[in-house]
Amino acid sequence: MRRNLLIYQGPGAAPTPEGWRTEKVSHHDPRHLCRWIDRHWEGGRIALVGHGTAGLVFRHAYLVANGDDDSREHRPWAGHVSRMVLLATPNRGAGVGRFRRGGPYVTDLRIRWVDHFDRTTDPVKVVQIDLPSARREDCVDVEQFPNARHVTTPDVFDNRAILDAVLGRFQPTTPPVRPAPQPMEFLLTPYTRLRTFLDVYAQTYALHRHAGITVTAVEGGTKTLARALSKVPTLRFDAVHLERTALPPDFPWHRVVEREQAGQITHR
């Protein structure tokens, strides 16, 4: 008999909706989580409920399961994920280490996320549940597809809020942030910090990727740009303009074009 599977990672115990079984996990590697689901899925629907940075791991695991990684291996259960519930997940990154804001991991994940939902019509519904103190702009990449919802709870995340999110018994409390896209241009100077640039790029890409994004890098800013392109393979620009580059003459910009990270590159 097929049973629906609720996978929970966070403090305490998650509720078990009728007709579901709940499993609590503690995976920090999305590929390990995918292999765990491979073994435990019984053919029913799947709900992923992650608290804090566990939500980032679940988001990444979902992309891996859909073949959006280097292996391009699509897992059978990927199309059965009906809900992804993110409890106070810092989608823009937070703290230090792998999940820090403006870090390569978080930036790459956010770009892959919006790219994935631009290409597909996945039925999964993503519900971000936050406290009133949360910064709304930290969720813009999550909200860039029609099945995303944002809910603000008055005080704490109780089991009722999780149940309502999993079963669809909730009302979004704020409309999605989807402004009209407009062309955007970045300017990188010798004083531009890499993490600041990557953080702002991910925000900009989520909202304005369809209108075109270009970058002008000046002197030492060309080194920052080169590091960004190397650390985040999904970083892309319609055009790259280099002024008084600080990079060696033989820097392989042709490889940047081959990886489709830049439509064209000009030197000034």
Side-chain angles (χ1 to χ4, degrees):
M1 177 181 178
R2 294 184 177 181
R3 285 196 298 169
N4 299 325
L5 175 61
L6 189 155
I7 303 169
Y8 175 75
Q9 183 161 321
T16 302
E18 184 177 353
W20 294 68
R21 66 184 177 96
T22 297
E23 296 284 352
K24 186 173 180 178
V25 299
S26 58
H27 290 283
H28 302 288
D29 186 307
R31 290 172 179 80
H32 291 170
L33 176 61
C34 285
R35 289 193 287 271
W36 184 93
I37 299 175
D38 289 342
R39 296 191 302 270
H40 291 83
W41 178 57
E42 298 177 351
R45 288 180 292 159
I46 295 174
L48 303 173
V49 182
H51 188 281
T53 56
L56 294 173
V57 175
F58 282 8
R59 288 178 59 185
H60 192 176
Y62 179 79
L63 295 180
V64 171
N66 279 278
D68 191 4
D69 69 335
D70 294 338
S71 71
R72 300 296 179 188
E73 180 182 351
H74 191 283
R75 285 171 154 81
W77 54 264
H80 294 263
V81 179
S82 60
R83 286 287 192 282
M84 190 181 307
V85 182
L86 309 175
L87 304 172
T89 291
N91 294 289
R92 197 173 174 180
V96 297
R98 177 166 61 122
F99 299 115
R100 68 188 183 278
R101 175 173 293 194
Y105 176 82
V106 171
T107 303
D108 186 67
L109 174 61
R110 301 179 76 201
I111 295 170
R112 287 181 184 272
W113 181 263
V114 293
D115 282 350
H116 175 79
F117 288 103
D118 277 349
R119 296 191 302 266
T120 67
T121 56
D122 291 7
V124 61
K125 291 181 172 57
V126 179
V127 183
Q128 172 82 19
I129 303 180
D130 278 328
L131 298 177
S133 59
R135 290 167 41 126
R136 186 66 188 286
E137 62 266 29
D138 292 354
C139 299
V140 296
D141 59 306
V142 174
E143 298 183 355
Q144 297 313 302
F145 70 104
N147 287 337
R149 300 291 183 268
H150 186 273
V151 179
T152 300
T153 59
D155 42 63
V156 297
F157 304 123
D158 56 17
N159 283 350
R160 179 178 294 276
I162 296 174
L163 279 173
D164 288 346
V166 170
L167 301 177
R169 302 184 310 218
F170 66 91
Q171 290 295 326
T173 54
T174 44
V177 179
R178 297 179 189 138
Q182 55 183 316
M184 304 295 290
E185 180 174 5
F186 286 95
L187 174 63
L188 301 189
T189 73
Y191 306 102
T192 303
R193 296 181 59 191
L194 177 63
R195 285 180 55 187
T196 300
F197 166 58
L198 291 180
D199 175 51
V200 177
Y201 177 92
Q203 290 290 93
T204 302
Y205 188 82
L207 298 173
H208 303 290
R209 60 196 178 281
H210 296 307
I213 300 176
T214 60
V215 61
T216 297
V218 180
E219 298 177 341
T222 58
K223 290 186 175 180
T224 301
L225 177 60
R227 289 175 60 202
L229 291 166
S230 174
K231 290 177 176 291
V232 184
T234 50
L235 212 68
R236 291 192 298 276
F237 299 94
D238 291 82
V240 171
H241 306 297
L242 307 171
E243 297 187 5
R244 301 185 298 280
T245 179
L247 294 168
D250 60 348
F251 184 85
W253 285 110
H254 64 282
R255 294 180 184 171
V256 174
V257 175
E258 290 172 356
R259 294 194 300 263
E260 299 183 345
Q261 289 184 285
Q264 60 178 349
I265 298 175
T266 60
H267 296 259
R268 301 173 182 172

